[in-house]
Amino acid sequence: MRQPAKQGLYDPRNERDACGMGFVAHVKGERSNAIIARGLEILANLDHRGGVGADPTLGDGAGCLIQIPDALFRAWAEAKRLNLPPAGDYAVAMCFLPRDAASRAAAVERLERFIRVAGQLVVGWREVPVAADLLGSAAEAAMPAIAQAVVARGPNVPDQDAFERKLLAIRKQTLNPLEAEAKRRDLPGLPDFYIASFSSRTLVYKGMLLAHQVGAFYKDLADPLTASALAMVHQRFSTNTFPSWRLAHPYRFIAHNGEINTLRGNVNWMNARRRTLESPLLGPDLDKMWPIIPHGQSDTACLDNALELLIAGGYSLPHAMMLLIPEAWSDTRMEPKRRAFYEYHAALMEPWDGPAAIAFTDGRQIGATLDRNGLRPARFLVTDDDLVVMASEAGVLPIAEERIVRKWRLQPGRMLLIDLEQGRIVEDEEVKAALAGAEPYGQWLAATQFDLKDLPPGCNPIRRPPDDDVFRRTRISFGYTDEDLKFFLAPMAAAADDPIGSMGTDTPLAVMSDRPRLLYDYFKQNFAQVTNPPIDPIREALVMSLVSMIGPRPNLLGRQAGTHKRLEVSQPILTNEDLEKIRSIQETLDGAFRTITLDATWPKGGDAQSLEAALQRLCWEATEAVLADINLLILSDRAEGPARIPIPAALATGAVHHHLIRQGLRMQTGLVLETGEAREVHHFCVLAGYGAEAINPWLAFDTIDDLCARGSLAVPPAEAQANYIKAVGKGFLKVMSKMGISTFQSYCGAQIFDTIGLGRCLVDKYFTGTATTIEGIGLAELAEETARRHRAAHAPDAAPLDPGGLYALRAGGEDHAWSFDSIANLQHAARGNLPDKYRAFAEELNARGRRLLTVRGLLDFRPAGPAVPLEEVEPAAGIVRRFATGAMSFGSISREVHATLARAMNRIGGKSNTGEGGEEPERFAGDARSAIKQIASGRFGVTAEYLVNADDLQIKIAQGAKPGEGGQLPGHKVDAEIAAVRHSTPGVGLISPPPHHDIYSIEDLAQLIHDLRSVNPSARVSVKLVSEVGVGTVAAGVAKCTADHVTIAGYEGGTGASPLTSLTHAGLPWEIGLAETQQTLVLNGLRERIVVQVDGGLRTGRDVAVAAMLGADEFGFATAPLIAAGCIMMRKCHLNTCPVGIATQDPRLRARFTGTPEHVINYFFFVAHEVREILASLGLRSLEELIGRADLLEEADASGHWKARGVALSRLLHMPETNGLRRHGASLCRAWGTAVDRQLIEALDGPLPARIEGSVGNKDRALGAMVSGEIARRFGHAGLAEGSLHATLTGTAGQSFGAFAARGLILELIGDANDYVGKGLSGGRLIVRQPGEVPREAAENILVGNTCLYGAIEGEAYFAGIAGERFAVRNSGAVAVVEGTGDHGCEYMTGGLVVVLGPVGRNFAAGMSGGIAYVWDADARLGGQCNLASVALEPVEDAEGLRALIERHRALTGSERAASILADWPAALARFVQVMPTDYRRALATLEAAE
Amino acid sequence: MTNPTGFLDIDRQDRAYRPVAERLKHWREFTEPLPDSELRLQAERCMDCGVPFCHTGCPVENLIPDWNDLVTAGQWRAALDSLHRTNNFPEFTGRVCPAPCEAACTLNLDDAPVTIKTIECAIVDRGWREGWIAPQMAPRGTGRRIAIVGSGPAGLACAQQLARMGHAPTVFEKADRIGGLLRYGIPDFKLDRMLIDRRIAQMEAEGVIFRANMEVGVTVPVERLMDDYCVLVLAAGAEQPRDLELPGRALGGVHFAMDYLVQQNRRNAGLPHSGAPILATGKNVVVIGGGDTGSDCIGTANRQGAASVTQLEILPRPPLAEDKGTSWPRWPLRLRTSSSQEEGAVRIFSVATLRFEGQDGRVTALVCEQDGQSLAFEADLVLLALGFTGPERDGVVGKAGAELPPTGYETVRPGIFACGDARRGQSLVVWAIREGRECASAVDAYLRGA
């Protein structure tokens, strides 16, 4: 089976995957079949990391990579009487051949031909014995014919490495043009031909298999003749259910857990290297290998292609990995040689960035590396008999504890390498020191690297605007508005921050606006959700970098190095002075660089043809320049004037960038932009995303100077410009980190955008590879928009700047859905229960033709049949049950409003949502209970009690107004009540991290769902996503994680506070995301098992009807009910000054709130009545009948609108074929909880205290969560008396051990544990220690995994060993003792106490605003490891308390470290450092003073 | 916005009036401007709303939050630019506008609105005082001549806009002086005539030609204008007063309010007026009609030394305060007391006039009905302030044969446009300005062939 073709909004390229992976290797290279058997056992023990699709017998793919089993092939050759050369002199091609005979014959013939042409010899073909009867029908239907071609080394290749290179060339030549070949020869099956591996060293067995099937399916693997010293295995979790045989891992070199966020850019840049890539090793073969990275592959396949190229080009395996996935090297504490190594290589290739744990092997070495931020788990152990086992989880192989000499984890940016030929483990330090010392990288850099700031000033004068009139006209021509000054330039220049706004966006899409809009408005930023995490660019700044390399790149495979000159800037925004430096660089730098300025304007009066001609001219000039050896192109629109129109800067950039890529010239030149157009953060992002390496926004600088001159800015011009640049930099970091990208170099050219309203032709030509969902304008309209601005600017009576009106409504500005009238009518309707007023309200918003605002505005209804009488339609009371209010936290809105919404929804049987701030326990039972309890990244107030008091548990992955970003509740909003609910300290600000620190990947989400369901098995688990291209695929993944409910939020959604950049430019309208979700779920056969809810800008009954037709079962509203309750869209939520008492905690203002539940109820009933009228007119009797009926929608006629007439919505209305339902039917039935939990629950009914004993394995996940839920249900948060339930367990616990453990529960684990130990700890006590008799120091080995005690509320934890990354992240009250932590320890902590009796990793206490940490800083390294932005390092104040705690730790765990510390307490005490948040100290002092 | 909590920290302060006793002694304006420091504080109360409801209230769509912000920052000149961007004559609206913007102000919902009108007035007054307001010359002329009939606020706004676009407008006024209703309709104590003269001078410098004493359709035939000008704009107002055709209407002493007001305005200007003098001095005055014109009559009558002033309103007494929950931000129906009413008038509601009674051909009393009860008022002077029904019968609109358009500004006759009260019926000065501006844009588009 192949993936379904691209259809409707479904596009196979959006597929995401993640997984579990691991390897086992014998360090000394001893080969055996047992190693393979163990590898397969790892696989079987990771199977919970896979997904459950519509067909449970169908796996997402699994596989195993081993060394070539020479004995097996020798036996085969003997049996076949073939002459097999010695091991190492023959290779095996593992082939998936087409099933139809003609294609298969063609495939075989093709491969053999290229082998022969390359001078190698085909020994023969071996049928691979398989047990096809094991497979489910779907997997079998898709199964290829599997055969191995055995190829002998020809006389023309001198050695095995050269043989490998030749094999690569053969494989590339055979496979690359298959699609074309298939068409030419009319063999549609031919593209199915795939070579899983082709090497003289390694062999891959993989397929669309369940984890446990791999060994049984491939009979070879069980054959005693099959021996290997290593086995690398992988279990895939795909977000959808069309896994294919080839997409299984491992690939030829790697198995990967995670995702490459920058993939598109990496692939583009690789293609751009075509003309610069040369390799003495590959010679002419290199030319035969293009495309190096073919289209339509998974991210891992692409990375594998890049890796094999580097290796073929002569890099060693670890060297290549360091080049592809470098550590964060901007850290100045890094050893200088290593830093120089990375800095040198940064110019060769941009990082492949994203959460990634990658296992790699070439058959001689095997290893693994982790991304710079440590976002995937990887644990390994070493035994006394030379076995190394590495896997995503600990405990995947049953190995006697006493044989294990070392337990460790892969650390961020670090590498584990085992050299089987040398027979030893090469430590990270050693590998890197050797590579860093191999060449004089530091000297090379010193000789070739130029920093822009060190260059002499340019020769040309800095231009200033000639006079007020010209200056004004120029600004109008570039589309400047009053708002650009007021909302962006002035605040950015004054405060150096990307400005904040609130309440979402309700303006028309650019393509529907009557006004000319900038091209940037057609681009929506992508963001990470579920399949990869966003990053916190502030608290985790150490992994971020804005460094940009301007200019040509050296040959990736060239080893001449050292001579290639490079120009570096610390960030990509250039001042006018900077740009002049670059313009003059030829003179100032002895011709190392040669610059040309190309004119990016076109003649006045221009239409589409002349714009196109201008672009063509620009591209040709660029080519000419590069061919003339000019290596810095400056695209400039300085020529703007009465006779010249500026080409939209993004268009000019995209055109030149892609043109040069297509010509293979892009790597030979730098691309710099000199533009008057760019001013907002988003503008710079688009320009960089399409290839600009640096940008000079000259008009923005002129404007800032002008503001200073007019006295509108209180800072001097130079400082204002510096502030502005800083603000743009911060914005850049935020936008990059939203997608999980850490470096500007990888962001540049990565095209992390969807377009909306741009025509396909335009995008394909100038923004190649960008997704379009809604077709729209072409060059003609784009030209017209630009020309309109230009005409207005140079008209005789040119007015002052346009008011804008995008961010706050202005008369004469952009249109808004929430207008004076719609707000007034809705409020009058809700307050007076006035149907006529509601009708006027709905009419205004629903009316099309007059105003185009939304995608749904371009859709018309098509009745299903004759109208039915209204009284036959489902009553409104039934419809309102499908309504929910949006997630607004108590904290962002006032208590009165929060309760009003809850009361209203409870009365009508709908649901209200707590938002992310928890809920006051007294509301759990009453009429103000929120049925939906949200679990967001901050985990504020998420206790076991909170979870059991929910009908729905909603995991908020992202919110419409600022997807991919965290939030911050400023200290002044945290009053005593809010602090109590959030288990924090009044007056101390609270940070919600951008990602859930327990969801970096899809299988992590499955785990969180599992955790929540364990606590509360009766609640529906919901996942909230934001609309973007690919959200449907993520939603399918969510369904496969067994969620009951998914919410698709539109980008319009309101918010308390969000950077304006995100508010308007991130995410897509819900119509698009919902339709894609519906189509993908239906296509996958997953639709009926999950409820789909939509929110983000629903206002009227018509909106509800459209949403139902596009596939929504339920409907969320936030802004509209708030308005019914009195909100007037002040957009001041972030200032705490809401004058109607809604988004404020100021008691003076809260008193002004006049809303009542009745107002909200009136509104919802009006909406429901409108829905009924629509149903009746369509001939339907219930809302259910409408769900998924996209066929009842048709595109409206927009031919009258100068831009919207190009919009095509047919893809939105596509309905994939299905035999199943197009709406929710029944959810999956599942069983939860571990055996231990069931035992403990039983014990609850018996006499207490009770003790049980048992053993655990890594498949026992969320142990303790279910019993804790039960305790919370019966006894509330107060739980049981201390020690009422005590379980003593042995073994390796699965993830989320002790999650949400309630008070009275003690979980004592003898062994070790995986990630998320004590997540959400709710009063219980956790004790983990290694068994008594083992050959390793407890304090030097890893004991518990990453992200332990995340969001812990209270309780105790004692870990006699080292914890992984992000220990106690967002802890609000737990007391914990641990003997060492990884990076980011105590991040975002707001309360509680953490004692670390050992070293901590980097970035300790980042964003910590409460609680205290004590670190035993034996080697005085804490100062360097700690993030001091919010904490102070002090001597211990409460020494006695500390000592008591350490004593308790010793008593409970038998810790030797504790014992030795206590043995000489005064000396040890002197080594302890108290880490105290400064805000926390201040708040405590305030509280004390108040008492 | 410099102070996000300004509205919480600062109380509303508005311009005060001079004491009644004092102001009744003269015909000059009697409001007391606020000091700059206070104005800046008042502007600080503006919340810079995400949805500035003041805009709904303001027909010219003044960018109120923007200039409030500038005033707060002390940037008066920038504030003036912002104000002039939407409003040609803020010194008029800053004095005579009923300020629907303030009714719509978000702070009016549960607090007291920003003193928008006062700030507007202060900005422009300061602009004149500082000499910032100069003629704005069009960079180059188009040579297109436009005739504008009527020099009220609509005609003036239209003319100024057209001149600044480079066209050549000529304004025809049937009266002897330019200004229309501004000049002779509004009492001097509400709008100083100097303000009008100053604007006219600016406009003349900008190239607007004014032709007084030219009644189009009477002294100048419409067709001749059509020959000489590319476009004709009818901005002749809605001067046809609503009459009260009841027994005794013909009695002496029963006058239309406008006849009365115009006389006094001419008198103040030292100009002769036509017809016998209409004076309230020592008389019992009854004003029929509770609107703004009625108030102007009251103020004028009191200044003339009326013995008593009674105002009759046919509608019931509105509530003292509106239900803001279902009215804001719309213009609410509630009892308002104008400065003239404050100076002394008996206001009677729900009262319908039945007949005028008189002696010797002069009115002496009014017989009315209230709640089914009959009642009578002593009256020596009765002023009819019942509004206007539209453009004057037999006026220029009819003569031009230009049926008024239901929407838009171009009439059925190509090249003839209409705006202001002539088009939309009796309304506010601020509406007239908006119409004049929009009509100018429509004319410009017409001339450019767009």
Side-chain angles (χ1 to χ4, degrees), chain A residues 599-620 643-648 651 765-766 779-784 786-787 790-791:
Chain A
D599 174 29
T601 65
W602 96 97
K604 171 192 169 183
D607 51 7
Q609 279 79 34
S610 65
L611 174 57
E612 191 166 12
L615 286 166
Q616 208 162 51
R617 190 242 327 142
L618 195 59
C619 291
W620 286 343
R644 305 289 300 177
I645 311 177
I647 299 177
L651 185 64
K765 185 156 182 195
Y766 301 110
L779 217 46
E781 290 81 6
L782 198 50
E784 172 60 18
T786 318
H790 186 262
R791 279 200 299 270

Side-chain angles (χ1 to χ4, degrees), chain A residues 1153-1193:
Chain A
F1153 177 65
T1154 56
T1156 67
E1158 286 71 24
H1159 298 163
V1160 178
I1161 293 170
N1162 288 343
Y1163 165 68
F1164 278 123
F1165 270 89
F1166 285 138
V1167 172
H1169 282 299
E1170 191 193 340
V1171 172
R1172 294 183 69 230
E1173 285 166 13
I1174 293 169
L1175 287 170
S1177 72
L1178 294 177
L1180 299 175
R1181 288 178 176 78
S1182 73
L1183 185 48
E1184 185 172 280
E1185 292 169 59
L1186 195 63
I1187 297 167
R1189 293 293 303 274
D1191 56 324
L1192 300 184
L1193 288 169

Side-chain angles (χ1 to χ4, degrees), chain A residues 720-894:
Chain A
Q721 291 202 5
N723 283 345
Y724 174 72
I725 292 173
K726 199 169 165 198
V728 174
K730 284 185 190 173
F732 249 127
L733 290 175
K734 202 145 208 177
V735 173
M736 279 157 50
S737 60
K738 212 173 340 188
M739 189 59 200
I741 295 176
S742 348
T743 67
F744 177 79
Q745 267 195 291
S746 332
Y747 185 80
C748 182
Q751 309 191 167
I752 313 285
F753 299 92
D754 299 331
T755 62
I756 179 160
L758 291 184
R760 168 74 18 224
C761 295
L762 185 79
V763 171
D764 281 350
K765 185 156 182 195
Y766 301 110
F767 306 103
T768 320
T770 311
T772 49
T773 44
I774 290 187
E775 297 275 311
I777 64 167
L779 217 46
E781 290 81 6
L782 198 50
E784 172 60 18
E785 284 196 298
T786 318
R788 273 195 197 193
R789 283 192 290 269
H790 186 262
R791 279 200 299 270
H794 297 286
D797 62 322
L801 298 190
D802 188 281
L806 277 166
Y807 298 96
L809 203 155
R810 279 292 177 276
E814 186 55 277
D815 204 355
H816 284 252
W818 291 116
S819 64
F820 312 116
D821 285 332
S822 60
I823 295 174
N825 284 330
L826 174 55
Q827 295 195 334
H828 297 173
R831 291 181 184 139
N833 200 11
L834 304 169
D836 287 349
K837 292 283 189 181
Y838 174 79
R839 206 159 288 132
F841 157 78
E843 205 116 284
E844 182 191 343
L845 289 172
N846 293 341
R848 283 174 304 92
R850 199 162 52 85
R851 324 163 51 204
L852 285 178
L853 280 172
T854 53
V855 174
R856 55 195 176 280
L858 282 176
L859 295 170
D860 275 339
F861 293 155
R862 183 161 36 193
V868 298
L870 191 58
E871 54 278 11
E872 287 179 23
V873 177
E874 168 182 24
I879 293 172
V880 294
R881 293 180 168 277
R882 292 177 181 268
F883 293 169
T885 51
M888 293 171 277
S889 70
F890 168 45
S892 72
I893 58 176
S894 71

Side-chain angles (χ1 to χ4, degrees), chain A residues 482 486 712 796-797 800-803 808-811 820-821 824-825 828 831 1128-1130 1132 1137 1139 1148-1149 1152, chain B residues 4-5 7-8 47-52 55-56 61 65-66 75 85 106 110-111 139 165 325-330:
Chain A
D482 282 346
K486 174 176 168 182
S712 302
D797 62 322
L801 298 190
D802 188 281
L809 203 155
R810 279 292 177 276
F820 312 116
D821 285 332
N825 284 330
H828 297 173
R831 291 181 184 139
I1128 46 171
M1129 296 293 286
M1130 277 301 285
K1132 296 284 179 287
T1137 58
R1148 290 179 294 175
L1149 295 170
R1152 297 186 178 201
Chain B
T5 57
F7 69 102
L8 285 173
M47 301 187 292
D48 188 21
C49 300
V51 178
H55 283 211
T56 38
E61 302 180 332
D66 303 64
Q75 299 198 31
R85 192 158 146 179
T106 305
D110 46 16
D111 201 321
M165 290 169 189
T326 51
S327 70
W328 177 87
R330 313 244 188 259

